[in-house]
Amino acid sequence: MSGNLLQCITKAQADYGRCIDDDRLEEWPGMFHRPCLYKITTASNYRDGLEAGIVFANSRGMLSDRVSALRDANIYERQTYRHILGQPSILSEDESTVRSETSFMVARILRDGDTSIFATGRYFDVYEITDGAVQLNERTVVCDSSRIDTLLALPL
């Protein structure tokens, strides 16, 4: 699968970004394997090996709960994202897992049309390889800036 692996990771990254950008958030947890880890942290915390995250979920159930809260409980200004993704780099691979790093930029578009760069950083991912397909086991979103808008509502 090695020759096709980068293509599979690239497609998985594009599907992930489109899912969020197209407001299909109910599909987002399905992009992760069971069990899974999803964490958003800062570059300085990541560099220093600090485990605390701005957002932390260690199961698909927690991801689904986050989506339910966004839809039914949280009050925030409606917005959309546009993901711009770099080319994934394969960091390591074996028969059942692959580790990759992908740079990202997310623009936030508010209802009035105001658009701004919301976040930049890197995804550090662990994918599980099953029957020639890849699915996220872990995604650590490492934001370049330590200043995170309090409006971090949607997944990055």
Side-chain angles (χ1 to χ4, degrees), residues 51-111:
E51 291 296 317
I54 299 162
V55 173
F56 178 88
N58 63 2
S59 72
R60 280 172 72 179
M62 288 179 77
L63 298 177
S64 294
D65 287 348
R66 182 166 177 81
V67 172
S68 293
L70 287 169
R71 296 292 196 213
D72 302 324
N74 296 353
I75 298 172
Y76 62 97
E77 183 175 3
R78 295 294 173 211
Q79 56 193 276
T80 58
Y81 286 168
R82 177 65 59 212
H83 283 72
I84 308 298
L85 303 172
Q87 181 72 20
S89 294
I90 306 289
L91 302 177
S92 67
E93 64 180 285
D94 61 33
E95 293 178 12
S96 62
T97 61
V98 60
R99 293 181 178 279
S100 68
E101 174 185 337
T102 306
S103 295
F104 72 87
M105 181 177 74
V106 174
R108 180 177 62 191
I109 303 96
L110 300 177
R111 287 176 70 170

Side-chain angles (χ1 to χ4, degrees), residues 96 131 133 149:
S96 62
D131 298 326
D149 193 318

